[in-house]
């Protein structure tokens, strides 16, 4: 069977944050010869259960929440934009719903919060009067997570909503941690606390958030970015958890939470292999072929786009080296002139 078309009149729009360069993941591939064909593939399109990772979400949007979630918008970097547009085209998502953020290198990345603000601003008309789901492209959950329940219940209680799952002390410094009261309201959000003494909570918040009013989201994002405009640390606006941490502290905002059993994400190669092993056992190839359209041109185009992504990165790196050498040569020439 073929998935039903996107219900663009639905109340919710999904925004996928996919502008990261996956530098840690790419570096890990170099030591795994059997996985090197994945070089240049964005994490959201890595094969997982015989389909690209994001197809698992698209399946949820078009089945479990088909009357709730309509449009899907992806923001990515310029190196990966072609691959995401190809993926979108084959799944009935308009190409213009894939936005490039104008960056070509990890060093020049905007960061997740600025990428989110870019989408909300650029797609203001599409998002008008809509509710918004915001999610990282490399995120998946266990079967206990019910998207419909989350959107119809928890997400409607306040300004926005998030999820949490319980972790150990060992993971504390790697996750965003929420403190939740008896009513399920988030009273504090700590992004990767450095000490186990920072909080007694062990509730980790994965990068999936819901906002009930898109106009609220744009104004809140712009307030946050204005207040962090002079921050010298890119981390201040890089992780979405930084915005969420700030959001919880605002008097005019209320965030509620819902518990899940856990999450999968692709930080490095080992994370990917764990995620892939789990979902390879859940989705078989026959089901994949029935649910997601695929043809030979897809594989050919995918290789072309991956090659372009790799060449773009190499080209930008080469230009940076050339600029450095030219500057160094000019410095030597100036020194010789002064000596004379």
């Amino acid at each position: 069977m073929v998935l039903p078309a996107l219900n663009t009149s639905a109340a919710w729009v999904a925004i996928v944050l996919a502008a990261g360069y996956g530098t840690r993941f790419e570096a890990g591939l170099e030591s795994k010869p059997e996985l090197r064909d994945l070089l240049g593939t964005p994490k959201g399109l890595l094969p997982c259960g015989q389909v690209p990772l994001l197809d698992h979400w698209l399946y949820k949007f078009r089945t479990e929440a088909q009357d709730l979630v309509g449009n899907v918008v992806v923001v990515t970097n310029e190196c990966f934009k072609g691959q995401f547009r190809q993926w979108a085209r084959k799944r009935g998502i308009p190409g213009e719903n894939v936005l490039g953020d104008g960056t070509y290198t990890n060093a020049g990345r905007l960061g997740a919060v600025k990428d989110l603000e870019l989408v909300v601003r650029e797609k203001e008309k599409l998002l008008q009067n809509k509710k918004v789901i915001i999610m990282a492209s490399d995120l998946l959950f266990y079967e206990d997570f019910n998207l419909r329940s989350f959107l119809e219940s928890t997400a409607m209680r306040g300004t926005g909503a998030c999820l949490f799952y319980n972790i150990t002390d060992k993971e504390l410094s790697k996750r965003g941690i929420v403190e939740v009261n008896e009513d399920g309201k988030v009273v504090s959000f700590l992004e990767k606390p450095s000490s186990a003494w920072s909080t007694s909570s062990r509730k980790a918040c994965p990068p999936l958030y819901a906002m009930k009013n898109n106009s609220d989201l744009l104004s809140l994002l712009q307030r946050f970015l204005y207040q962090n405009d002079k921050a010298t640390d890119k981390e201040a606006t890089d992780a979405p958890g930084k915005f969420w941490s700030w959001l919880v502290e605002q008097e005019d905002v209320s965030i509620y939470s819902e518990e899940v059993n856990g999450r999968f994400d692709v930080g490095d190669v080992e994370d990917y292999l764990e995620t892939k092993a789990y979902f390879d056992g859940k989705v078989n190839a026959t089901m994949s072929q029935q649910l997601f359209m695929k043809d030979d041109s897809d594989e050919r185009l995918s290789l072309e786009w991956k090659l372009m992504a790799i060449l773009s990165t190499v080209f930008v790196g080469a230009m940076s080296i050339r600029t450095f050498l030219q500057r160094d040569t000019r410095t030597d020439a100036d020194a010789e002139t002064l000596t004379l």
Side-chain angles (χ1 to χ4, degrees):
M1 75 175 185
V2 177
L3 286 172
L6 284 167
N7 178 10
T8 55
S9 64
W12 291 86
V13 173
I15 298 176
V16 180
L17 303 177
Y21 286 82
T23 50
R24 190 155 52 101
F25 177 73
E26 291 271 317
L29 290 178
E30 295 291 347
S31 63
K32 300 277 187 183
E34 70 277 14
L35 296 177
R36 284 184 185 171
D37 60 333
L38 297 178
L39 282 167
T41 303
K43 292 194 288 186
L45 298 183
L46 290 170
C48 188
Q50 290 85 49
V51 295
L53 191 152
L54 279 176
D55 277 353
H56 293 272
W57 282 105
L58 202 60
Y59 180 61
K60 273 185 174 290
F61 296 157
R62 292 184 175 181
T63 54
E64 179 183 310
Q66 200 258 340
D67 57 327
L68 295 176
V69 182
N71 274 303
V72 176
V73 181
V74 179
V75 58
T76 186
N77 59 61
E78 298 300 328
C79 296
F80 292 156
K81 184 169 68 175
Q83 291 185 64
F84 277 111
R85 283 193 169 172
Q86 179 202 345
W87 170 83
R89 175 181 60 83
K90 291 299 295 180
R91 287 148 183 82
I93 300 170
E96 59 266 26
N97 281 19
V98 176
L99 300 182
D101 68 359
T103 73
Y104 289 87
T105 66
N106 183 61
R109 69 191 185 280
L110 295 183
V113 183
K114 288 184 178 179
D115 279 319
L116 177 58
E117 191 273 339
L118 172 70
V119 173
V120 177
R121 178 167 38 84
E122 291 290 321
K123 291 296 181 181
E124 186 175 6
K125 185 175 180 181
L126 183 147
L127 296 172
Q128 190 173 11
N129 300 320
K130 298 291 187 181
K131 303 172 179 64
V132 179
I133 311 166
I134 305 152
M135 53 177 284
S137 66
D138 62 344
L139 176 71
L140 288 173
F141 291 104
Y142 291 98
E143 291 82 354
D144 69 300
F145 172 58
N146 187 300
L147 179 62
R148 171 174 288 277
S149 172
F150 177 65
L151 296 181
E152 289 185 330
S153 179
T154 307
M156 300 304 292
R157 296 184 64 191
T159 311
C162 63
L163 301 167
F164 71 83
Y165 61 99
N166 293 306
I167 61 169
T168 63
D169 287 359
K170 185 179 178 181
E171 298 177 85
L172 193 67
S173 63
K174 302 176 183 179
R175 308 296 181 192
I177 304 297
V178 291
E179 296 177 345
V180 179
N181 68 16
E182 293 179 357
D183 193 37
K185 184 178 180 181
V186 178
V187 295
S188 177
F189 188 117
L190 292 83
E191 178 64 11
K192 299 179 180 178
S194 58
S195 168
W197 301 102
S198 302
T199 174
S200 61
S201 174
R202 296 297 180 266
K203 294 178 171 61
C205 179
L208 184 138
Y209 318 101
M211 290 292 288
K212 194 167 64 175
N213 190 321
N214 175 59
S215 60
D216 286 345
L217 177 58
L218 181 58
S219 62
L220 288 164
L221 281 165
Q222 292 176 340
R223 276 167 53 189
F224 171 78
L225 291 172
Y226 176 78
Q227 291 179 21
N228 287 275
D229 182 50
K230 299 190 184 303
T232 56
D233 182 6
K234 190 182 284 285
E235 287 293 321
T237 58
D238 202 13
K242 292 289 187 180
F243 171 62
W244 219 247
S245 178
W246 173 88
L247 199 59
V248 169
E249 297 176 353
Q250 307 309 301
E251 292 183 0
D252 54 344
V253 171
S254 57
I255 306 296
Y256 285 84
S257 62
E258 179 179 311
E259 184 174 3
V260 292
N261 283 340
R263 53 87 86 79
F264 296 90
D265 65 2
V266 183
D268 56 29
V269 171
E270 295 308 316
D271 291 335
Y272 169 62
L273 292 175
E274 178 186 347
T275 304
K276 185 177 185 298
Y278 183 86
F279 285 95
D280 280 356
K282 301 291 180 181
V283 181
N284 61 56
T286 304
M287 182 189 299
S288 304
Q289 291 165 5
Q290 291 174 336
L291 293 177
F292 308 108
M293 294 176 289
K294 177 181 177 182
D295 59 31
D296 292 339
S297 64
D298 256 1
E299 295 184 1
R300 175 179 54 80
L301 286 170
S302 180
L303 288 171
E304 290 176 3
W305 283 119
K306 282 199 286 186
L307 181 59
M308 287 177 64
I310 294 170
L311 289 176
S312 295
T313 302
V314 171
F315 174 75
V316 172
M319 292 300 292
S320 299
I321 293 171
R322 181 184 176 189
T323 301
F324 173 79
L325 292 175
Q326 287 176 337
R327 184 174 67 246
D328 195 47
T329 302
R330 286 197 300 270
T331 302
D332 289 344
D334 290 344
E336 289 178 11
T337 302
L338 287 170
T339 302
L340 293 171

